[in-house]
Amino acid sequence: MAMGWNFPGIAPKFHPVFPAFPRCQNANLSMPTIVLPFDNSYARDLAGFYEPCQPAAVRSPVLLFFNRGLAEELGLGLAGQDDEALAAMFSGNALPVGAQPIAQAYAGHQFGQFNPQLGDGRALLIGEVVDRHGRRRDLAFKGSGRTPFSRRGDGKAAVGPMLREVLIGEAMQALGIPTTRALAVVSTGEPVFRERTLPGAILTRVAASHLRVGTFQFFAAHTSPEMVRQLADYAIARHYPELLEADNRYLAFLAAVAERQAALIAQWMHVGFIHGVMNTDNMGIPGETIDYGPCAFMEAYDPGAVFSSIDEMGRYAYGEQPGIARWNLARLAETLLPLIDADEGHAISLATEVIDAFPERYRHHWLARLRLKLGLRGQVPSLGQSSDSMDTALGESWLDLLHAQQVDFTLAWRRLADAAAGNEAPLRALFLGQPGLDRWLQRWRERCIAEDAAEDAGTEVNAARAEAMRRVNPWLIPRNHRVEEALAAASNEGDLGPFEQLLNALWRPFDEGPALARYAEPATGEFMAEFRTFCGT
Ligand code: AMP
Ligand code: MG
């Protein structure tokens, strides 16, 4: 695992100056009509951790996207509503009955620098619902106008970046990766001023919660440990209730958050996802991918891949992500020290143990998924532990091959599934030279045969292996050129067709077929050489 960034030890930091939040300026003109089944625990239980704030009214809301499947899962009862009513509600012009809009306070390390006050500068938590599976989920607006935390920003968002969040977030969901989701996007009919004038939009985001590492940092930096304890107890009850009875529940909480991040980042790495801005305010406590700004999917395999226009040093490059997750978790640990043990030295040593275990936990999750991607069912029993290091080496040499020949990451894995079924030609076509590939395929086949022999796997084993591989190695990812094409049509011409077609394809990423072939094609080398992502502010 890359560990390029210096790893500062855990150090206690408390500056008990609690800033009074400025007040929200927006007037509430809304005429609520729709009733939603809200139950707003954050607003109820965490007074002092947020500031109430109304969304700004918008000129002429139009519904661009509505996620009916998700609305159904959330039990919102919106099936009978027309687009106009939905646009009024999801723009904030007609907030649903029961909504309790608040701007949450948080801080964060941005590119390694601590910013003691960030907060919801262009987002509002509207309320919480308990979905059909009994899971509590936040409904939040993004782009709904200025809040007490806007600093110099306008609180707005543009159509392109909000539809981009829909595409990438829904693709992640379909790939089986924990993520916040998009419920609706409404265009506002108002301009947003960036490098050029863009059409404005508001996204409604659904999240397990919007608690971040940065939320803990805010209250650790500004308030007493008692408020951090209140926050931690809330987070534990909401996301890690199994820890309520734990011996040292705050240490257990740190370990549990780390465990979910280890699993999450391993999943990112196996689909070539680059978050792009892994600041501590963008790392969620529930373990979901959150904040789709300058993120992108890698095409040709390259551990140094970075697309964000502002990430000049490559701090958040593809291969740095596990190390950055660990760095961020150390910042979370700092906020919890006074809760972990009254003796600070002891608290630091306990927390350090958890943080130092992270690389191993990450590798554990990475290896488990690697095996699935390689079509392996598990360890070779006779080899035990050494099967782990052999399989890790097998995976790493495959990645080295892809890197050396700049092979498309997604297609290489997918074509390996064909090779498992006996059809090697499509895989070979992706590689320039063959000797390295031949040697690697030989090793891989021997490994498969060893497993099959040990398990007496039967005659259909190759077909079964290929099928299993096709269920974990996607055919479709959101290809950067297709995403850009769809967003340009929506943003510049008001044509949502390409966006909708792409989204429909991304909802079924494992189903290969000729009708959708254009979405599987990698971008040209020239496109990728020039391709940059932006923070969407
Ligand atoms: P992000 O880079 O999106 O994670 O945002 C970092 C911080 O900047 C958060 O506190 C955001 O609320 C704030 N922010 C981003 N864009 C805007 C905007 N247009 N207006 C006000 N605040 C913003
Ligand atoms: Mg953010």
Side-chain angles (χ1 to χ4, degrees), residues 106 212 281-282 291:
Y106 56 86
R212 310 141 191 272
D281 53 301
N282 293 336
D291 220 329

Side-chain angles (χ1 to χ4, degrees), residues 70-91:
L70 180 57
E72 180 64 26
E73 178 183 315
L74 294 171
L76 298 183
L78 293 174
Q81 300 294 339
D82 62 20
D83 283 8
E84 208 178 316
L86 293 174
M89 180 169 79
F90 289 122
S91 64

